[in-house]
Amino acid sequence: MASTSNNSIIINNNNNNNDDTKDNYSEDDVIRLGFVEDIAGELETFPNKVGGKPVWLNPENPPAPLFCSRCNKPLAFLLQIYAPLDRLDHAYHRSFYLFCCLDGSCGTYNVVRIQLPQENKYYDMDGIPKEKVGKAPLCPQCGCFGEKKCSRCKQVFYCSKEHQAVDWRQKHKKECDEYVASLNSGEPSEKKSTKESEKSVSDSQPAIFLFKEMEIVTSEEPEGDDLENDNEGDSSEDRKELLQKYKDYLSREKSEGSVDVEDLPEMGSFTDGVVKQDHDPTFLKFQRRIAREKEQILRYTDSLFTQPLFVGEKGKPSEGDIPNCSHCGAKRSFEFQILPQLLYYLDVEKVLKADIGTPIIDWGTLLV
């Protein structure tokens, strides 16, 4: 579930298990930054990644499909991060999965957390996947749990009628016809296995429900000279120069459809409203802090005392905007945020306008 306050979108952590971790976080204000890279070889067992299909921590019991609360269409998988808390047995393995509605006018985002103890039926004590573990049926279009199956061949499962209709047009009609014909003739079918079918959509046809798959690599945020007095010492001319660079970026991005990565330090946000905040110290702090590592797309902390970076004072949520935990009633704490730089790497304006035909997704920051 997500609540929107101008440029900041707060996403409540939907817990699959209670996570009594308040007293198990570090007080050290250490921020780990995430960067996207092309995938070289196979992903790790517990991946950090953007796009593609989710790699479920619990392969036998993934969550039910998620739908937009406004348009009722399936949410698209955006990214996942592996954030274990090995001090807590029940959260020894722990992954977050972030989803979004592809229709930018809805502004719907949702996050799911899945966790397992160190001793479990899916991985050994060293985290190596066990053999002969059951797997839930997954939708070949998006990789989410398949609650529905083809009524004709009963071999392929889908998360929704919408994804089933697309898959039928792309490839399943032919596969289904061949499979049913083989049953009627008594001859062996050459139909692909469910696992192969799940993979083939990305190879044979454009997968309109999937973002480009990229790996997330992390490193600690480097120190900078902007740690103190973030809101002081900026003259009116300094502010005007920063904001003019930002406006120039937006102008180039709209006219050319792309921008060089060297411009990312001055980017800040894809949201036009921020440009109007020409005396906003919060926005200037955001600019300077992001400039330490211009290509960062994620900021993660395991400290209860670290605050996120906000894009602007106008869009900064109040304490009342953040609901308490629905399980225990305690106040929620910030853990990670997704920055607008990710939109550049996903090339959402080009991809979504061409394939979906709806307003593109956009954010100043996503807070979890």
Side-chain angles (χ1 to χ4, degrees):
M1 182 178 182
S3 56
T4 306
S5 175
N6 294 317
N7 304 314
S8 301
I9 298 177
I10 309 159
I11 308 172
N12 303 333
N13 181 350
N14 294 328
N15 303 334
N16 279 24
N17 305 91
N18 289 334
D19 189 11
D20 304 322
T21 58
K22 184 174 181 180
D23 297 325
N24 291 274
Y25 282 89
S26 167
E27 293 190 14
D28 296 330
D29 189 15
V30 176
I31 301 292
R32 292 199 65 81
L33 306 180
F35 308 86
V36 291
E37 292 184 353
D38 290 335
I39 297 175
E42 293 187 5
L43 287 167
E44 296 180 355
T45 301
F46 308 111
N48 297 300
K49 75 185 190 81
V50 169
K53 297 176 183 178
V55 179
W56 297 111
L57 183 64
N58 185 333
E60 196 171 27
N61 296 295
L66 301 172
F67 295 88
C68 177
S69 58
R70 296 190 177 184
C71 68
N72 205 37
K73 292 183 178 179
L75 296 184
F77 170 66
L78 184 60
L79 60 81
Q80 69 183 83
I81 64 169
Y82 181 63
L85 294 175
D86 53 14
R87 292 161 291 183
L88 296 175
D89 181 65
H90 68 273
Y92 187 88
H93 297 294
R94 183 169 173 264
S95 288
F96 290 93
Y97 301 83
L98 180 58
F99 295 81
C100 68
C101 181
L102 293 177
D103 187 337
S105 63
C106 292
T108 301
Y109 298 83
N110 210 321
V111 66
V112 172
R113 188 188 74 229
I114 299 177
Q115 54 198 38
L116 295 170
Q118 183 178 19
E119 187 174 352
N120 61 79
K121 63 184 294 186
Y122 309 111
Y123 311 96
D124 65 21
M125 298 298 283
D126 295 320
I128 299 174
K130 296 179 182 179
E131 297 181 359
K132 299 180 180 180
V133 172
K135 292 186 178 181
L138 303 178
C139 175
Q141 283 288 321
C142 65
C144 292
F145 180 57
E147 293 184 321
K148 307 176 184 297
K149 64 181 175 182
C150 175
S151 60
R152 193 163 176 241
C153 70
K154 298 179 174 57
Q155 299 296 307
V156 182
F157 293 76
Y158 299 96
C159 69
S160 63
K161 290 183 178 180
E162 181 180 7
H163 286 195
Q164 182 176 9
V166 171
D167 197 57
W168 179 263
R169 293 193 301 269
Q170 285 188 339
K171 63 185 178 64
H172 186 59
K173 183 180 186 300
K174 179 181 178 181
E175 295 177 351
C176 194
D177 288 343
E178 292 174 352
Y179 181 77
V180 173
S182 69
L183 292 180
N184 293 335
S185 66
E187 296 178 358
S189 171
E190 296 183 359
K191 178 184 176 297
K192 296 179 181 179
S193 67
T194 301
K195 184 176 181 181
E196 290 174 325
S197 181
E198 290 168 4
K199 291 182 178 180
S200 63
V201 63
S202 60
D203 300 327
S204 59
Q205 298 286 345
I208 64 174
F209 303 109
L210 299 180
F211 291 106
K212 177 184 177 182
E213 188 173 41
M214 295 172 282
E215 186 175 11
I216 299 176
V217 297
T218 64
S219 65
E220 287 190 10
E221 182 182 40
E223 294 184 359
D225 57 8
D226 58 317
L227 286 174
E228 302 294 336
N229 302 319
D230 275 317
N231 301 334
E232 301 176 3
D234 292 299
S235 67
S236 176
E237 292 301 316
D238 291 334
R239 295 189 182 99
K240 288 180 180 179
E241 181 180 358
L242 277 172
L243 291 166
Q244 186 57 50
K245 289 179 179 180
Y246 180 75
K247 292 176 183 179
D248 292 343
Y249 163 79
L250 288 175
S251 177
R252 289 197 306 276
E253 196 276 335
K254 290 179 179 178
S255 62
E256 301 174 7
S258 63
V259 65
D260 193 271
V261 73
E262 294 299 321
D263 295 321
L264 286 174
E266 315 301 342
M267 182 179 68
S269 170
F270 277 44
T271 308
D272 292 336
V274 178
V275 179
K276 299 176 183 178
Q277 302 176 43
D278 54 1
H279 295 287
D280 188 344
T282 301
F283 174 64
L284 297 176
K285 175 181 178 180
F286 180 90
Q287 290 276 36
R288 288 195 299 271
R289 192 70 179 258
I290 294 301
R292 294 189 195 179
E293 287 288 354
K294 57 194 173 186
E295 298 177 42
Q296 60 182 286
I297 59 100
L298 178 147
R299 299 174 63 83
Y300 178 89
T301 180
D302 65 355
S303 170
L304 284 175
F305 307 96
T306 302
Q307 295 299 311
L309 283 181
F310 293 103
V311 177
E313 192 65 29
K314 184 178 179 180
K316 195 173 181 179
S318 67
E319 186 174 347
D321 292 325
I322 305 173
N324 291 345
C325 175
S326 59
H327 292 282
C328 67
K331 292 185 178 298
R332 298 177 187 269
S333 59
F334 166 70
E335 187 159 353
F336 68 92
Q337 70 184 109
I338 309 301
L339 301 173
Q341 283 88 325
L342 179 59
L343 295 165
Y344 164 78
Y345 290 105
L346 292 175
D347 201 8
V348 292
E349 182 165 5
K350 177 180 178 181
V351 174
L352 295 186
K353 275 191 174 180
D355 292 341
I356 307 297
T358 60
I360 61 171
I361 57 174
D362 187 20
W363 63 74
T365 185
L366 303 179
L367 307 177
V368 179

